[in-house]
Amino acid sequence: MTVSMTVDGDLAETVAVAAYANGGGPTADAPHYWQGAFTGDEEAGRRLAELPAAVEAALGIPLETETVLAACDALAGALLDPEHPVHARLAAHLPEGEDSALLAELGHHLGRRELTRKLRRELGGSAPGRLNRPDPREAVYEAWAPVGMVAHIAPGNAATVAPLSIVEGLLAGNVNVLKTSSADSLFPQALMAELAALDSSGALAARIVVLRFGSSRQEWLRLMCAPADAVAVWGGEAAVAGVAAHVPAGCRLVEWGHRISFAYLTGDAWSDGDTLDALAGDVCRHEQQACSSPQVVYLDTGDEAEVFAFAERFAGVLAARSAACPPAGAAGGDRDPAEEAELTTTELVARLEEHLGLTRVFAADDGSWRVMADTRSPLTASPLHRSVWVKPLPRERMIATLRPMRRYLQTAGIAGSRTDVAELSRTALAAGVTRITPVGAMLDSYTGEPHDGVYALQRYSRRVAVQADPDLFATTACLDDLAGPVVLPAPAGPLLGKEEVQERNGRVDRADAELYFHSGGSTGEPALSLFSYDDYDAQMHAAARGLLAAGYDPVGDRTANLFYCGGMYGSFISFFSILERLGGVQLPLAAGPDHRATARALIDHGANTLFGMPSYLWQLLHAEADALRAYGGLRKVFYGGERFTPEQQRTLEVEFGIEVVRSITYGSTDLGPLGYQCTESTGGVHHLHADLHTMEILDPDADRPVEPGATGRLVFTTHARRGQQLGRYVIGDLGRAVPGRCPCGSHAPRFELQGRTGDVMRVATYFLNHRRFVTLAEEQGGHRGELQVLLGNGEARERLTVRVERCAGSDPERLREVFLAGYPDLRSAVSERLLDLVVEAVDGASLDRSPTSGKLRSVVDGRR
């Protein structure tokens, strides 16, 4: 059985068909990509007239952020692999003058690491669309919701801008309609088709339309903008104004207009040769076509002589850099007549003003570069193509000089001492600059960097909130769980065991291995698990939501964290982090041998809730029973790693007055939290953390799904791990799916744990189960303590020893009779003289436990 969701509906079935799967692609006759298929002008025009209905239908198809991340990451891998078929198909549509370096650049930007970092930086998390509690102590839910439809009016000179803008729109959950120029290549259409083909649900294709038409087709532009909730446009004031005329009232206009950037050098910096060489690199890179390219170099001086001297010196540096890195083609060969005229006119006017003592021009004979010194401070746009102004601007006049141009300012590359950089950055930002960099890095960027002073994802989103009844929703951590199931990509690939995962750990990039944990080693040698801090944070938030569902009250509960700590074991640290995210009161005591001191701390600080391993909590409570019963303040126990048996739970309720005994989480060190209990859950029943994982239940003896309701091996695929592929991990536990929707109202799938595969022992040709011994001991033998099975070799046959914790009612002889009477396979093995059965009562402290976690080892196999 596989617990995963698919999208129903005719639209989803239609858009799930990728154009390339049918052997098609964008052509001159079919240049438009519309929700999964390429089409010509006539059909695109007809569909544009029906765009509002198409948008409404597309928004009805659920889209999880993980679906976007998974598809983008798969596409990134293809773009970075020159041998991949997708790489070859897209290379055929590259714009003139571009090569595979463009594909590699896109591949870098579309990787999971970069997009997840962008989501976290701009929207606060990797699943920003889910209605979670920003403060777990309040029944208020907030999320980032799509604005609805975003119309993207792309520039014609930046091949990566259009597709990356659509990806931003998809990350925000929007339907996206992109207009490219009639002179552009069909690369954006081809790229978006490849992206949509990587999502079998059809949710991505339903949200993508790419049209190719000229600005003269004003009716198409009007139809495209009419149903938009946001319109993103690139270009100068004229281009923005032309689009703004079609933007309906109340629609958000997102302007990505032309910007101007400058370098600013202090006296020490302009005397440094390395700084000047770095500045020349910024001027030459991309021929100043980027908004972040320096068009003006400001000097922190009012001395005109220093300006002219610097300009002459810098001209020599720029000449050397241009000789080493000449412009593409002959100088001026790639410039259109208007650009050439602007360069000529600007230089000519500057030379004429030399006679007035205002300017001085230094230029290459072939026109490949020019430095124009000007004694006037106001910002002046450069004609680009390695043309730069040099001007004086004392720092005390920076705000007055630059503020009138604040609408157009973008980057300031500042060079100076540490103190100068700090002071000048503040001054430049006050003047209207939105971005400060070192000189030499003006065109560099980082993942998640704000653009022109804003975060793109926030411009394509809206912040929404739901205020709920705190009593009715006390245990509802995520409102979406009550609204519908999570839809994640279906698991694929081979099954993985612990050995394969451990081997893969050796290949994890160190940038993704920021947190190291060891397992408790209760089922073998401790295993190493690696996490990035982003992954860890997402998992701790998920576990915190699970605790709320289980009945934890971050306002009223006072919690003692009694998990084991040290030796790279993660339980104590993890639950410290979880309580921190919940805002709950915490006593970080950790499990220790001094039960009296621990009990005293619980009493002195008024703890009413215990977190810990059942075996440790059981020892603590019984060792300090008199003091804790007299205190009478304990009300809740949340346990992990093992299970309290029904008889043990009854003991906690009757003898200690504990009202809630519930699993704190179900998980593993490798995968993190996998499931959680709600207030309606009993025994081993848990909900799946369906926003993090997909679960399959496979036959114990074959790699195929079990019949519905049957017990099988639990196999998990985690979707939110950076730098690791942990798909189809056979975790070693057995379980069955619980049918139907939970009475708590959550749509998250449920499963019931049925023990570990290691709890099944092959003894004397029979398969015996540890859980069967526990059930018989409790239900038929009245045993209320712990139980452990030891396997060994006797003189004539194998020996099975059941060790039970010594407590009232634990009669070894009586328990032996119960086991033989209630377990036919065991009775047969003993009667056939294949096995010796021994039952002995021992102190709980003498039972064999993991030294790291303190977890009871249910089966100890000492056979040779």
Side-chain angles (χ1 to χ4, degrees), residues 301-635:
T301 182
D303 189 332
E304 297 176 2
E306 288 185 316
V307 171
F308 292 145
F310 172 83
E312 183 175 11
R313 184 182 176 200
F314 182 60
V317 176
L318 186 58
R321 173 58 70 100
S322 291
C325 305
D334 295 329
R335 298 195 286 264
D336 62 32
E339 291 176 318
E340 195 64 44
E342 183 183 8
L343 282 164
T344 301
T345 302
T346 301
E347 182 178 337
L348 179 60
V349 171
R351 287 190 182 278
L352 289 173
E353 291 184 327
E354 286 185 349
H355 302 291
L356 303 175
L358 297 174
T359 61
R360 191 168 299 173
V361 177
F362 306 89
D365 293 338
D366 62 358
S368 60
W369 60 266
R370 55 193 54 78
V371 177
M372 299 167 289
D374 189 342
T375 59
R376 293 159 293 188
S377 295
L379 196 66
T380 304
S382 157
L384 310 181
H385 298 286
R386 307 192 183 192
S387 304
V388 65
W389 292 98
V390 177
K391 292 170 174 276
L393 183 58
R395 65 180 70 193
E396 60 271 14
R397 286 170 29 203
M398 182 183 287
I399 293 178
T401 301
L402 296 178
R403 183 165 163 73
M405 296 290 286
R406 62 190 177 278
R407 288 183 56 205
Y408 305 100
L409 297 178
Q410 193 206 64
T411 302
I414 297 178
S417 69
R418 292 171 68 244
T419 300
D420 285 333
V421 170
E423 293 176 352
L424 290 169
S425 293
R426 272 297 173 192
T427 305
L429 294 173
V433 168
T434 61
R435 183 172 178 267
I436 307 290
T437 74
V439 168
M442 293 181 65
L443 280 74
D444 294 342
S445 63
Y446 58 86
T447 302
E449 181 178 17
H451 185 66
D452 292 346
V454 298
Y455 281 139
L457 294 185
Q458 291 186 6
R459 299 292 287 154
Y460 298 160
S461 305
R462 55 202 170 95
R463 190 66 174 171
V464 297
V466 176
Q467 186 172 352
D469 184 323
D471 295 325
L472 190 60
F473 289 86
T475 59
T476 302
C478 178
L479 212 57
D480 294 281
D481 289 339
L482 304 182
V486 177
V487 181
L488 292 180
L495 296 176
L496 299 178
K498 180 184 290 188
E499 295 75 17
E500 289 89 348
V501 171
Q502 290 298 295
E503 190 274 329
R504 289 186 177 200
N505 278 343
R507 304 199 300 268
V508 174
D509 192 290
R510 287 206 169 190
D512 299 316
E514 296 167 327
L515 191 56
Y516 288 68
F517 283 137
H518 266 150
S519 69
S522 57
T523 59
E525 287 297 317
L528 179 66
S529 298
L530 309 176
F531 296 86
S532 71
Y533 281 120
D534 286 347
D535 294 340
Y536 177 75
D537 180 65
Q539 293 184 353
M540 295 305 99
H541 276 290
R545 293 192 294 271
L547 260 174
L548 281 178
Y552 179 80
D553 177 9
V555 175
D557 290 345
R558 300 176 63 81
T559 305
N561 182 353
L562 296 171
F563 280 99
Y564 282 81
C565 185
M568 295 170 60
Y569 185 58
S571 290
F572 176 85
I573 296 169
S574 296
F575 287 102
F576 182 96
S577 300
I578 290 164
L579 284 167
E580 181 181 29
R581 284 155 178 79
L582 285 167
V585 175
Q586 176 175 189
L587 308 178
L589 296 170
D594 192 341
H595 296 319
R596 178 172 298 179
T598 299
R600 177 50 53 195
L602 300 179
I603 297 167
D604 289 347
H605 299 291
N608 70 336
T609 301
L610 307 182
F611 285 6
M613 291 282 189
S615 55
Y616 174 79
L617 296 178
W618 185 261
Q619 294 174 60
L620 170 66
L621 291 169
H622 284 81
E624 296 298 321
D626 293 340
L628 293 174
R629 276 197 291 262
Y631 165 56
L634 299 180
R635 291 293 177 266

